[in-house]
C-alpha cells in the first residue's frame, strides 16, 4: 500500500506541474538550424529556463529562411502562445514578423541578432561581437609575432554580426604593417565551405602562416584542410566556442576562440518574458549585450555546451 501511495503522490506532482504549465501558457522558441551547435545551445538554454519557470515550450527552426520564419510566427500566433523568443533569420527582413506578433498582443524577445528599429521587440539580447572579434584578433597577432601572411575567412557577410566581427579583426590587425593579408573570402559560416576555401588558399599561398575565422564551423573547416595537407605551422583562430572548438584547442589544432554565451542570453530572454507576464510591463533596457569569453589552451576545458565554468 505504501508503494501505491508513493506512486500516486508522484503522479499527483507531475499532474500539478503539467496543470501549472498549461495555466501559465507556452513560450515559443524560434532559432536557426538545430543541427548547428550554437543554435541548439540557444534552444536548450531557453527550453530549460522555460520549463523551470513553469511554462510549456515549443521549439521551432526557421533555418535562416525569412519566408519560413514568417510562416512559423503566424503559426505560433494562431497557437496563442504567451510569448516568443526569436533568433531571427535576417535583421532587416524580420521587423515585419516581430511587428506582426506585437500587433497580436504577443511579446517578442530577440536573441543573438538585433533588428534595426526600437520599440517593436520587448528586448534585444546580443553578444558583443566587436569585443569578441578584437579579443581573438589580439591573440592571433600575438601568436603570429605581429608579422606574416594571413587569410581571413568570414562567417556570412549577409549577417551583421559577422560584418561586425570582420571590422573588429581589422581594427586590430591593420595596426601591424607586417601582417600581410593574402586572401579574404566569405565561407558562409559553413565547415565544408571553410575547408574548400582553405584548400584553395593553400594552393595559391603555400606560405600563409595564419587564418582568422568569423565563426567556429569555418575555423574547424580550416583545421580539417590543414590536417589533410599535413600543415601544423599555421595559426588558426575563430569565434563561437563550441565543444568541437574546445576539443580542437585542447588538441593544439585551433589556437584560440571566443565563447559566445548562447545558453545565457536565451535564459535571460525567457526571464524577461516571465517578468513581463508577471507584472504586465517591462522597464529594463531594450538592448542588452553579453561579452564573449576568450578561450585558449589554458581554460578551454572549462567550456561545455556554450557554458563557461570559472
Amino acid at each position: 500500500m505504501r508503494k501505491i501511495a508513493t506512486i500516486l503522490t508522484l503522479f499527483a506532482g507531475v499532474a500539478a506541474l503539467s496543470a501549472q504549465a498549461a495555466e501559465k501558457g507556452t513560450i515559443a522558441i524560434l532559432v536557426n538550424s538545430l543541427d548547428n551547435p550554437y543554435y541548439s545551445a540557444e534552444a536548450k538554454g531557453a527550453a530549460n529556463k522555460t520549463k523551470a519557470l513553469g511554462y510549456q515550450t515549443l521549439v521551432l527552426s526557421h533555418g535562416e529562411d525569412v519566408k519560413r520564419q514568417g510562416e512559423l510566427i503566424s503559426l505560433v500566433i494562431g497557437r496563442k502562445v504567451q510569448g516568443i523568443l526569436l533568433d531571427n533569420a535576417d535583421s532587416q527582413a524580420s521587423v515585419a514578423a516581430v511587428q506582426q506578433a506585437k500587433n497580436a498582443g504577443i511579446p517578442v524577445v530577440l536573441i543573438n541578432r538585433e533588428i534595426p528599429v526600437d520599440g517593436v521587440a520587448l528586448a534585444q539580447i546580443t553578444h558583443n561581437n566587436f569585443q569578441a572579434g578584437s579579443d581573438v584578433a589580439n591573440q592571433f597577432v600575438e601568436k603570429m609575432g605581429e608579422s606574416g601572411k594571413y587569410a581571413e575567412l568570414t562567417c556570412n557577410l549577409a549577417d551583421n554580426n559577422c560584418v561586425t566581427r570582420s571590422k573588429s579583426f581589422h581594427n586590430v590587425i591593420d595596426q601591424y604593417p607586417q601582417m600581410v593579408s593574402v586572401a579574404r573570402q566569405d565561407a558562409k559560416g559553413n565547415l565544408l565551405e571553410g575547408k574548400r576555401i582553405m584548400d584553395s588558399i593553400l594552393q595559391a599561398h603555400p606560405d600563409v602562416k595564419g587564418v582568422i575565422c568569423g565563426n567556429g564551423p569555418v575555423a574547424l573547416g580550416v583545421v580539417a584542410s590543414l590536417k589533410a595537407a599535413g600543415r601544423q605551422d599555421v595559426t588558426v583562430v575563430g569565434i563561437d566556442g563550441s565543444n568541437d572548438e574546445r576539443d580542437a584547442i585542447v588538441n593544439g589544432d585551433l589556437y584560440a576562440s571566443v565563447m559566445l554565451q548562447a545558453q545565457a542570453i536565451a535564459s535571460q530572454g525567457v526571464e524577461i518574458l516571465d517578468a513581463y507576464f508577471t507584472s504586465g510591463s517591462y522597464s529594463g533596457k531594450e538592448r542588452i549585450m553579453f561579452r564573449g569569453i576568450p578561450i585558449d589552451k589554458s581554460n578551454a576545458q572549462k567550456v561545455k555546451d556554450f557554458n563557461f565554468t570559472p
Side-chain angles (χ1 to χ4, degrees), residues 54-115:
Y55 297 90
Q56 293 180 322
T57 183
L58 177 62
V59 178
L60 300 167
S61 168
H62 53 65
E64 210 158 7
D65 183 320
V66 172
K67 182 181 178 182
R68 175 62 176 160
Q69 174 180 270
E71 293 169 348
L72 293 176
I73 293 289
S74 296
L75 171 68
V76 299
I77 289 173
R79 292 276 296 269
K80 300 186 185 303
V81 299
Q82 287 291 102
I84 299 170
L85 189 76
L86 172 65
D87 186 342
N88 68 69
D90 178 274
S91 297
Q92 183 66 52
S94 296
V95 175
V98 179
Q99 184 68 58
Q100 180 188 359
K102 183 180 180 181
N103 292 345
I106 298 173
V108 178
V109 171
L110 297 174
I111 56 173
N112 188 42
R113 286 181 181 168
E114 300 174 295
I115 55 175

Side-chain angles (χ1 to χ4, degrees), residues 38-56:
Y38 174 84
Y39 299 111
S40 177
E42 279 187 338
K44 178 180 178 181
N48 287 344
K49 179 59 70 172
T50 299
K51 292 172 184 175
L53 291 173
Y55 297 90
Q56 293 180 322

